[in-house]
Amino acid sequence: KQEVTQIPAALSVPEGENLVLNCSFTDSAIYNLQWFRQDPGKGLTSLLLIQSSQREQTSGRLNASLDKSSGRSTLYIAASQPGDSATYLCAARTGTASKLTFGTGTRLQVTL
Amino acid sequence: NAGVTQTPKFQVLKTGQSMTLQCAQDMNHNSMYWYRQDPGMGLRLIYYSASEGTTDKGEVPNGYNVSRLNKREFSLRLESAAPSQTSVYFCASRQGGSYNEQFFGPGTRLTVL
């Protein structure tokens, strides 16, 4: 059974800092890994999807990497802004039904 | 495009009452999903429909039923609500194939007293 872990559960950084969020998974037989952002009381917004054959994917200030062999993915946020404050979730897709298994998220606060 | 829409946004039920959560997507996606999100537990899959006419159980299906009404709509029914079903419910959809991303609705916040 796939298990996804995100550490730390919460992170506070000053504006402008570069930061890395971590995601680990136990079953390396994944199709892809998806990073989401969730604002309080809102739904999930897809940020990046990285396929199992890819090493990294970039969108603006965001860069996601994937290392299947070690069961790890990271989300790098450059030059953080207060608007980046949210909970970030990673989810691994495995299995014939392509179901997503979610981590419990990292709650990020970017302070002025 | 509205994407994935859910109704209602909020609902309060008494124990034993029934209700149906509605979900619709306008992206012509084949697959649709229902999740629940609880503090400290992450999102857990309740039921999913890989294509129109099929439904399958996810990780936590007990106490729920689903109907894939057509390609656009996927509803979740609570026949006899229990306090343990207090949660935020998310519907999601995805185009077929193993390599496509999943899109989420805004959620329904359900409280069972």
Side-chain angles (χ1 to χ4, degrees):
Chain A
K1 178 186 173 185
Q2 178 73 275
E3 293 182 4
V4 178
T5 304
Q6 292 185 250
I7 295 172
L11 181 64
S12 181
V13 300
E15 182 180 14
E17 193 162 297
N18 302 324
L19 60 102
V20 174
L21 306 180
N22 296 299
C23 172
S24 61
F25 47 93
T26 56
D27 183 354
S28 63
I30 62 170
Y31 289 110
N32 54 46
L33 191 134
Q34 197 167 352
W35 282 93
F36 295 89
R37 168 186 172 136
Q38 186 176 28
D39 292 290
K42 304 292 185 183
L44 281 69
T45 300
S46 180
L47 297 173
L48 287 166
L49 175 71
I50 182 164
Q51 306 292 358
S52 60
S53 58
Q54 296 177 312
R55 296 285 291 182
E56 62 179 53
Q57 191 70 254
T58 298
S59 175
R61 294 184 293 110
L62 305 179
N63 176 278
S65 69
L66 177 65
D67 184 343
K68 278 182 54 179
S69 62
S70 66
R72 296 184 65 182
S73 176
T74 61
L75 180 66
Y76 175 83
I77 302 177
S80 59
Q81 303 170 357
D84 294 330
S85 298
T87 296
Y88 291 81
L89 297 158
C90 68
R93 168 162 286 111
T94 52
T96 56
S98 295
K99 291 179 280 189
L100 281 178
T101 302
F102 280 84
T104 52
T106 294
R107 189 171 68 253
L108 172 67
Q109 183 174 15
V110 181
T111 58
L112 292 170
Chain B
N1 286 350
V4 181
T5 56
Q6 294 182 237
T7 56
K9 288 187 178 359
F10 302 93
Q11 184 71 48
V12 178
L13 293 177
K14 295 180 180 178
T15 297
Q17 287 185 317
S18 63
M19 79 161 294
T20 299
L21 281 65
Q22 306 286 354
C23 174
Q25 53 91 9
D26 62 2
M27 296 174 282
N28 202 34
H29 286 169
N30 292 323
S31 302
M32 297 185 74
Y33 307 81
W34 277 105
Y35 294 87
R36 59 178 290 173
Q37 185 178 35
D38 302 291
M41 302 287 289
L43 277 88
R44 292 179 293 169
L45 183 65
I46 305 171
Y47 270 94
Y48 66 99
S49 171
S51 61
E52 187 179 357
T54 68
T55 60
D56 286 285
K57 294 178 180 179
E59 185 182 354
V60 288
N62 291 346
Y64 305 95
N65 285 300
V66 290
S67 294
R68 183 75 183 265
L69 304 170
N70 47 55
K71 191 170 185 179
R72 288 187 64 248
E73 299 172 289
F74 189 38
S75 62
L76 178 71
R77 182 161 179 83
L78 287 70
E79 291 291 351
S80 179
S84 61
Q85 294 178 305
T86 293
S87 187
V88 182
Y89 291 86
F90 289 101
C91 178
S93 72
R94 191 177 69 88
Q95 185 54 285
S98 302
Y99 302 100
N100 295 313
E101 63 187 308
Q102 203 162 110
F103 294 89
F104 281 76
T108 294
R109 189 174 297 273
L110 175 67
T111 301
V112 183
L113 302 175

